[in-house]
Amino acid sequence: MNLCAAILLFYMFQLIHGQPDYLGFISIDCGIQVNSTYQDSISNMIYVSDYGFITPGENRGISSDYVKPSLVKRYLNLRFFPHGARNCYTLRSLVMGNKYLVRAAFYYGNYDGLGKPPVFDLYMGTSYWHEVSFSDAGAFNWMDIIVVAPDDYLQVCLVNKGMGNPFISGLDLRPLKNTLYPEVNATQSLVLVNSNRFHMGPTDGSVIRYPSDSHDRIWTTYNAIPNSTEISSTSVIQNNLRDVYDVPSSVMQNAATVNSSRIDFSWSPSDPSVNISSKYFFIFYFAELQNVRSNAVRQFDIIINNKTWNKQPYTPTFQVTDYFSGILHGMENYSVSLVATKNATLPPILNAMEMYLVKPITMVATDPGDG
Ligand SMILES: *[C@@H]1O[C@H](CO)[C@@H](O)[C@H](O)[C@H]1NC(C)=O
Ligand SMILES: *[C@@H]1O[C@H](CO)[C@@H](O)[C@H](O)[C@H]1NC(C)=O
Ligand SMILES: *[C@@H]1O[C@H](CO)[C@@H](O)[C@H](O)[C@H]1NC(C)=O
Ligand SMILES: *[C@@H]1O[C@H](CO)[C@@H](O)[C@H](O)[C@H]1NC(C)=O
Ligand SMILES: *[C@@H]1O[C@H](CO)[C@@H](O)[C@H](O)[C@H]1NC(C)=O
Ligand SMILES: *[C@@H]1O[C@H](CO)[C@@H](O)[C@H](O)[C@H]1NC(C)=O
Ligand SMILES: *[C@@H]1O[C@H](CO)[C@@H](O)[C@H](O)[C@H]1NC(C)=O
Ligand SMILES: *[C@@H]1O[C@H](CO)[C@@H](O)[C@H](O)[C@H]1NC(C)=O
């Protein structure tokens, strides 16, 4: 074999290692042994090592004090970056102009024995994504960004800001149909932090993601509605939003309700980076789960920060998903009230919600060879 053929062969292997799987998913377990892969027993997704996605950095396992039986495999190892101000992962073989959900996951677990988690910045290409910080050494942190790819690859960069070495535990890429999340375009992205994507299911920490959600969005239980009770249905909830938010039936099959005429709760971004010049995008999802008798009426107003979002008194449709959405300025607290109208005989309900930071994105394609 001559040198050229050897180089070509090497390059091909490199590409294959850095490519999406048959679902178009890339699921990287950062810090595991070079070229190793494994299949997650719950989702059946294949996790791969970060070989071929990045060159610098070092692998390390978390401290044994933080290893628990409940800890998923991807959090046991990580890659950290003691050198260089900026280190980037390159996700290749994408389709330029298509939409993608990218998720970065972090678990410090005192891997460096310093007992002090670092604070660093995450970038999508040249655009600021979010700061990564931790409440304590055993805190998990993951964040999503929904973006349009400016080229046939995306770069996720970790930037050292002098507060400890950046590290990463996992990196996921999920392709989205271009009609999904119409708020996302070439100059605007949606960023999700603090797990702000909620269903109202059982409060035992049940998480809904792939395969229930074909886009592998992570939906966690919201249990902060005062005095609420849960109603649920085993029937399939018709997905009327296939082209916009594509909410799976399993997310809609539970709803929070109250034994009174109104659902009131206050929601806080709990994000120090949010101020009045930030923008938050809210989506509230509704579907009637009960067979409402002909003499009963479920009808309510959707009031966010004292402003009514529905134009007419709203009645959720039986077993069909519907939504209300809007963009508001960054605030410390948002108040959400679902208030039964005078004619209503049944209390309001809420099935699911998502809260995203709206972030500008600069679509300058950088050289993927950049380290
Ligand atoms: C990883 O895989 C690539 C391509 O298959 C190969 O060139 C490389 O030698 C492997 N590295 C290790 C450490 O096994
Ligand atoms: C993206 O959407 C925002 C908000 O609707 C709009 O202001 C902006 O012009 C759009 N950008 C592109 C490239 O369409
Ligand atoms: C919850 O219910 C209790 C008892 O009915 C009531 O005192 C309290 O004000 C309610 N809390 C809210 C936030 O509605
Ligand atoms: C609902 O509230 C009413 C009046 O406060 C009470 O009589 C009734 O028992 C409550 N029902 C449930 C299911 O909690
Ligand atoms: C809001 O925060 C951004 C950075 O997160 C900062 O650049 C901007 O000056 C802040 N604006 C106000 C009004 O505080
Ligand atoms: C909503 O209205 C109440 C009463 O008028 C007021 O105290 C509160 O500040 C308002 N909240 C917002 C977010 O405007
Ligand atoms: C935000 O809401 C929480 C919970 O209702 C409340 O304790 C807190 O005082 C509120 N903060 C502000 C600034 O309104
Ligand atoms: C409430 O019921 C009355 C009597 O049936 C009806 O005239 C009115 O239009 C209803 N209001 C709404 C908002 O549906």
PDB file of all heavy atoms in Angstrom, residues 30 35 45 59 66 84 114 135 144 171 197 208 213 217 238 240 284 305 309 348 363:
ATOM      1  N   CYS A  30     -18.020  11.172  26.089  1.00  0.00           N
ATOM      2  CA  CYS A  30     -16.676  11.755  26.129  1.00  0.00           C
ATOM      3  C   CYS A  30     -15.845  11.089  27.213  1.00  0.00           C
ATOM      4  O   CYS A  30     -16.319  10.884  28.329  1.00  0.00           O
ATOM      5  CB  CYS A  30     -16.757  13.257  26.401  1.00  0.00           C
ATOM      6  SG  CYS A  30     -17.877  14.121  25.291  1.00  0.00           S
ATOM      7  N   ASN A  35     -12.236   4.591  20.429  1.00  0.00           N
ATOM      8  CA  ASN A  35     -12.911   3.665  19.512  1.00  0.00           C
ATOM      9  C   ASN A  35     -13.903   2.732  20.205  1.00  0.00           C
ATOM     10  O   ASN A  35     -14.469   1.869  19.541  1.00  0.00           O
ATOM     11  CB  ASN A  35     -11.919   2.801  18.723  1.00  0.00           C
ATOM     12  CG  ASN A  35     -11.104   3.622  17.742  1.00  0.00           C
ATOM     13  OD1 ASN A  35     -11.448   4.766  17.463  1.00  0.00           O
ATOM     14  ND2 ASN A  35     -10.057   3.043  17.226  1.00  0.00           N
ATOM     15  N   MET A  45     -29.767   3.267  22.103  1.00  0.00           N
ATOM     16  CA  MET A  45     -28.898   4.128  21.317  1.00  0.00           C
ATOM     17  C   MET A  45     -27.448   3.695  21.491  1.00  0.00           C
ATOM     18  O   MET A  45     -27.051   3.221  22.542  1.00  0.00           O
ATOM     19  CB  MET A  45     -29.051   5.585  21.750  1.00  0.00           C
ATOM     20  CG  MET A  45     -30.320   6.198  21.212  1.00  0.00           C
ATOM     21  SD  MET A  45     -30.440   7.954  21.547  1.00  0.00           S
ATOM     22  CE  MET A  45     -30.474   7.991  23.300  1.00  0.00           C
ATOM     23  N   ASN A  59      -8.490  12.154  29.022  1.00  0.00           N
ATOM     24  CA  ASN A  59      -9.615  11.407  29.598  1.00  0.00           C
ATOM     25  C   ASN A  59      -9.384  11.170  31.083  1.00  0.00           C
ATOM     26  O   ASN A  59      -8.268  10.962  31.513  1.00  0.00           O
ATOM     27  CB  ASN A  59      -9.756  10.046  28.926  1.00  0.00           C
ATOM     28  CG  ASN A  59     -10.075  10.176  27.458  1.00  0.00           C
ATOM     29  OD1 ASN A  59     -10.388  11.267  26.994  1.00  0.00           O
ATOM     30  ND2 ASN A  59     -10.000   9.081  26.743  1.00  0.00           N
ATOM     31  N   TYR A  66     -18.194   9.521  43.870  1.00  0.00           N
ATOM     32  CA  TYR A  66     -19.372  10.016  43.144  1.00  0.00           C
ATOM     33  C   TYR A  66     -19.987   8.951  42.238  1.00  0.00           C
ATOM     34  O   TYR A  66     -20.920   9.224  41.500  1.00  0.00           O
ATOM     35  CB  TYR A  66     -19.002  11.274  42.347  1.00  0.00           C
ATOM     36  CG  TYR A  66     -18.771  12.449  43.273  1.00  0.00           C
ATOM     37  CD1 TYR A  66     -17.518  12.675  43.841  1.00  0.00           C
ATOM     38  CD2 TYR A  66     -19.811  13.305  43.604  1.00  0.00           C
ATOM     39  CE1 TYR A  66     -17.304  13.726  44.711  1.00  0.00           C
ATOM     40  CE2 TYR A  66     -19.610  14.363  44.472  1.00  0.00           C
ATOM     41  CZ  TYR A  66     -18.354  14.563  45.031  1.00  0.00           C
ATOM     42  OH  TYR A  66     -18.165  15.606  45.895  1.00  0.00           O
ATOM     43  N   GLY A  84      -4.965  25.208  26.200  1.00  0.00           N
ATOM     44  CA  GLY A  84      -5.690  25.936  25.158  1.00  0.00           C
ATOM     45  C   GLY A  84      -6.901  26.640  25.719  1.00  0.00           C
ATOM     46  O   GLY A  84      -7.621  26.098  26.560  1.00  0.00           O
ATOM     47  N   LEU A 114      -9.895  18.126  43.127  1.00  0.00           N
ATOM     48  CA  LEU A 114      -9.802  19.490  43.664  1.00  0.00           C
ATOM     49  C   LEU A 114     -11.044  19.859  44.491  1.00  0.00           C
ATOM     50  O   LEU A 114     -11.031  20.833  45.234  1.00  0.00           O
ATOM     51  CB  LEU A 114      -9.633  20.519  42.532  1.00  0.00           C
ATOM     52  CG  LEU A 114      -8.382  20.388  41.665  1.00  0.00           C
ATOM     53  CD1 LEU A 114      -8.415  21.387  40.516  1.00  0.00           C
ATOM     54  CD2 LEU A 114      -7.135  20.601  42.518  1.00  0.00           C
ATOM     55  N   SER A 135     -23.738  23.725  41.011  1.00  0.00           N
ATOM     56  CA  SER A 135     -24.039  24.123  42.388  1.00  0.00           C
ATOM     57  C   SER A 135     -23.109  23.397  43.369  1.00  0.00           C
ATOM     58  O   SER A 135     -22.783  23.907  44.417  1.00  0.00           O
ATOM     59  CB  SER A 135     -25.504  23.837  42.712  1.00  0.00           C
ATOM     60  OG  SER A 135     -25.806  22.484  42.440  1.00  0.00           O
ATOM     61  N   ASP A 144     -29.341  22.211  25.987  1.00  0.00           N
ATOM     62  CA  ASP A 144     -29.667  21.985  24.572  1.00  0.00           C
ATOM     63  C   ASP A 144     -29.533  23.287  23.804  1.00  0.00           C
ATOM     64  O   ASP A 144     -29.750  24.370  24.364  1.00  0.00           O
ATOM     65  CB  ASP A 144     -31.138  21.567  24.410  1.00  0.00           C
ATOM     66  CG  ASP A 144     -31.442  20.160  24.864  1.00  0.00           C
ATOM     67  OD1 ASP A 144     -30.500  19.403  25.151  1.00  0.00           O
ATOM     68  OD2 ASP A 144     -32.643  19.822  24.926  1.00  0.00           O
ATOM     69  N   LEU A 171     -21.952  14.407  24.513  1.00  0.00           N
ATOM     70  CA  LEU A 171     -22.377  15.341  23.482  1.00  0.00           C
ATOM     71  C   LEU A 171     -23.294  14.599  22.519  1.00  0.00           C
ATOM     72  O   LEU A 171     -22.944  13.519  22.031  1.00  0.00           O
ATOM     73  CB  LEU A 171     -21.137  15.882  22.755  1.00  0.00           C
ATOM     74  CG  LEU A 171     -21.324  16.996  21.744  1.00  0.00           C
ATOM     75  CD1 LEU A 171     -21.917  18.237  22.396  1.00  0.00           C
ATOM     76  CD2 LEU A 171     -19.975  17.339  21.106  1.00  0.00           C
ATOM     77  N   ARG A 197     -37.943  21.648  30.281  1.00  0.00           N
ATOM     78  CA  ARG A 197     -38.894  21.039  29.349  1.00  0.00           C
ATOM     79  C   ARG A 197     -39.661  20.012  30.178  1.00  0.00           C
ATOM     80  O   ARG A 197     -39.073  19.040  30.670  1.00  0.00           O
ATOM     81  CB  ARG A 197     -38.134  20.379  28.197  1.00  0.00           C
ATOM     82  CG  ARG A 197     -39.027  19.849  27.100  1.00  0.00           C
ATOM     83  CD  ARG A 197     -38.266  19.064  26.061  1.00  0.00           C
ATOM     84  NE  ARG A 197     -37.397  19.858  25.222  1.00  0.00           N
ATOM     85  CZ  ARG A 197     -36.072  19.725  25.176  1.00  0.00           C
ATOM     86  NH1 ARG A 197     -35.460  18.826  25.913  1.00  0.00           N
ATOM     87  NH2 ARG A 197     -35.335  20.476  24.378  1.00  0.00           N
ATOM     88  N   ILE A 208     -39.055  11.371  30.148  1.00  0.00           N
ATOM     89  CA  ILE A 208     -39.468  10.901  28.827  1.00  0.00           C
ATOM     90  C   ILE A 208     -38.435  11.385  27.818  1.00  0.00           C
ATOM     91  O   ILE A 208     -38.101  12.567  27.795  1.00  0.00           O
ATOM     92  CB  ILE A 208     -40.875  11.420  28.452  1.00  0.00           C
ATOM     93  CG1 ILE A 208     -41.924  10.872  29.425  1.00  0.00           C
ATOM     94  CG2 ILE A 208     -41.226  11.054  27.006  1.00  0.00           C
ATOM     95  CD1 ILE A 208     -43.330  11.420  29.202  1.00  0.00           C
ATOM     96  N   ASP A 213     -39.904   9.969  22.568  1.00  0.00           N
ATOM     97  CA  ASP A 213     -39.750  11.204  21.799  1.00  0.00           C
ATOM     98  C   ASP A 213     -38.748  10.900  20.694  1.00  0.00           C
ATOM     99  O   ASP A 213     -37.564  10.677  20.959  1.00  0.00           O
ATOM    100  CB  ASP A 213     -39.238  12.328  22.707  1.00  0.00           C
ATOM    101  CG  ASP A 213     -39.173  13.663  21.984  1.00  0.00           C
ATOM    102  OD1 ASP A 213     -38.867  13.659  20.766  1.00  0.00           O
ATOM    103  OD2 ASP A 213     -39.426  14.697  22.617  1.00  0.00           O
ATOM    104  N   ARG A 217     -35.746  14.558  22.811  1.00  0.00           N
ATOM    105  CA  ARG A 217     -35.773  15.668  23.764  1.00  0.00           C
ATOM    106  C   ARG A 217     -35.984  15.056  25.144  1.00  0.00           C
ATOM    107  O   ARG A 217     -36.623  14.007  25.269  1.00  0.00           O
ATOM    108  CB  ARG A 217     -36.922  16.629  23.435  1.00  0.00           C
ATOM    109  CG  ARG A 217     -36.651  17.501  22.231  1.00  0.00           C
ATOM    110  CD  ARG A 217     -37.919  18.143  21.722  1.00  0.00           C
ATOM    111  NE  ARG A 217     -38.866  17.156  21.237  1.00  0.00           N
ATOM    112  CZ  ARG A 217     -40.044  17.449  20.684  1.00  0.00           C
ATOM    113  NH1 ARG A 217     -40.423  18.708  20.566  1.00  0.00           N
ATOM    114  NH2 ARG A 217     -40.835  16.500  20.254  1.00  0.00           N
ATOM    115  N   GLN A 238     -53.617  12.638  19.869  1.00  0.00           N
ATOM    116  CA  GLN A 238     -53.310  12.930  18.475  1.00  0.00           C
ATOM    117  C   GLN A 238     -52.324  14.088  18.378  1.00  0.00           C
ATOM    118  O   GLN A 238     -52.546  15.143  18.978  1.00  0.00           O
ATOM    119  CB  GLN A 238     -54.613  13.279  17.763  1.00  0.00           C
ATOM    120  CG  GLN A 238     -54.506  13.252  16.264  1.00  0.00           C
ATOM    121  CD  GLN A 238     -55.798  13.761  15.634  1.00  0.00           C
ATOM    122  OE1 GLN A 238     -56.896  13.351  16.007  1.00  0.00           O
ATOM    123  NE2 GLN A 238     -55.670  14.680  14.705  1.00  0.00           N
ATOM    124  N   ASN A 240     -51.224  16.884  16.680  1.00  0.00           N
ATOM    125  CA  ASN A 240     -51.614  17.870  15.679  1.00  0.00           C
ATOM    126  C   ASN A 240     -50.457  18.786  15.322  1.00  0.00           C
ATOM    127  O   ASN A 240     -50.575  19.598  14.433  1.00  0.00           O
ATOM    128  CB  ASN A 240     -52.735  18.719  16.282  1.00  0.00           C
ATOM    129  CG  ASN A 240     -53.921  18.796  15.378  1.00  0.00           C
ATOM    130  OD1 ASN A 240     -54.078  17.969  14.492  1.00  0.00           O
ATOM    131  ND2 ASN A 240     -54.752  19.794  15.587  1.00  0.00           N
ATOM    132  N   PHE A 284     -46.799  26.397  25.993  1.00  0.00           N
ATOM    133  CA  PHE A 284     -47.667  25.629  26.896  1.00  0.00           C
ATOM    134  C   PHE A 284     -48.530  24.701  26.041  1.00  0.00           C
ATOM    135  O   PHE A 284     -49.119  25.146  25.052  1.00  0.00           O
ATOM    136  CB  PHE A 284     -48.557  26.571  27.708  1.00  0.00           C
ATOM    137  CG  PHE A 284     -47.778  27.511  28.594  1.00  0.00           C
ATOM    138  CD1 PHE A 284     -47.495  28.808  28.174  1.00  0.00           C
ATOM    139  CD2 PHE A 284     -47.298  27.093  29.829  1.00  0.00           C
ATOM    140  CE1 PHE A 284     -46.749  29.671  28.973  1.00  0.00           C
ATOM    141  CE2 PHE A 284     -46.555  27.949  30.635  1.00  0.00           C
ATOM    142  CZ  PHE A 284     -46.277  29.246  30.209  1.00  0.00           C
ATOM    143  N   ASN A 305     -47.937  36.661  33.303  1.00  0.00           N
ATOM    144  CA  ASN A 305     -47.583  38.007  33.777  1.00  0.00           C
ATOM    145  C   ASN A 305     -48.714  39.004  33.519  1.00  0.00           C
ATOM    146  O   ASN A 305     -48.493  40.084  32.978  1.00  0.00           O
ATOM    147  CB  ASN A 305     -46.305  38.510  33.088  1.00  0.00           C
ATOM    148  CG  ASN A 305     -45.071  37.843  33.645  1.00  0.00           C
ATOM    149  OD1 ASN A 305     -45.157  37.083  34.612  1.00  0.00           O
ATOM    150  ND2 ASN A 305     -43.928  38.110  33.051  1.00  0.00           N
ATOM    151  N   TRP A 309     -53.204  35.351  26.948  1.00  0.00           N
ATOM    152  CA  TRP A 309     -52.653  34.900  25.669  1.00  0.00           C
ATOM    153  C   TRP A 309     -53.715  34.377  24.700  1.00  0.00           C
ATOM    154  O   TRP A 309     -53.491  34.356  23.498  1.00  0.00           O
ATOM    155  CB  TRP A 309     -51.578  33.822  25.901  1.00  0.00           C
ATOM    156  CG  TRP A 309     -50.251  34.389  26.293  1.00  0.00           C
ATOM    157  CD1 TRP A 309     -50.005  35.670  26.718  1.00  0.00           C
ATOM    158  CD2 TRP A 309     -48.995  33.721  26.295  1.00  0.00           C
ATOM    159  NE1 TRP A 309     -48.673  35.830  26.990  1.00  0.00           N
ATOM    160  CE2 TRP A 309     -48.015  34.647  26.740  1.00  0.00           C
ATOM    161  CE3 TRP A 309     -48.592  32.417  25.987  1.00  0.00           C
ATOM    162  CZ2 TRP A 309     -46.667  34.314  26.859  1.00  0.00           C
ATOM    163  CZ3 TRP A 309     -47.247  32.091  26.116  1.00  0.00           C
ATOM    164  CH2 TRP A 309     -46.298  33.034  26.535  1.00  0.00           C
ATOM    165  N   PRO A 348     -59.138  24.295  35.152  1.00  0.00           N
ATOM    166  CA  PRO A 348     -58.168  24.293  34.046  1.00  0.00           C
ATOM    167  C   PRO A 348     -57.199  23.110  34.150  1.00  0.00           C
ATOM    168  O   PRO A 348     -57.092  22.489  35.216  1.00  0.00           O
ATOM    169  CB  PRO A 348     -57.421  25.615  34.218  1.00  0.00           C
ATOM    170  CG  PRO A 348     -57.731  26.108  35.573  1.00  0.00           C
ATOM    171  CD  PRO A 348     -58.962  25.433  36.060  1.00  0.00           C
ATOM    172  N   MET A 363     -23.776  33.096  11.819  1.00  0.00           N
ATOM    173  CA  MET A 363     -23.579  31.941  10.971  1.00  0.00           C
ATOM    174  C   MET A 363     -22.301  32.045  10.170  1.00  0.00           C
ATOM    175  O   MET A 363     -22.300  31.994   8.965  1.00  0.00           O
ATOM    176  CB  MET A 363     -24.793  31.773  10.056  1.00  0.00           C
ATOM    177  CG  MET A 363     -25.976  31.215  10.805  1.00  0.00           C
ATOM    178  SD  MET A 363     -25.694  29.499  11.258  1.00  0.00           S
ATOM    179  CE  MET A 363     -25.631  29.528  13.005  1.00  0.00           C
TER     180      MET A 363
END
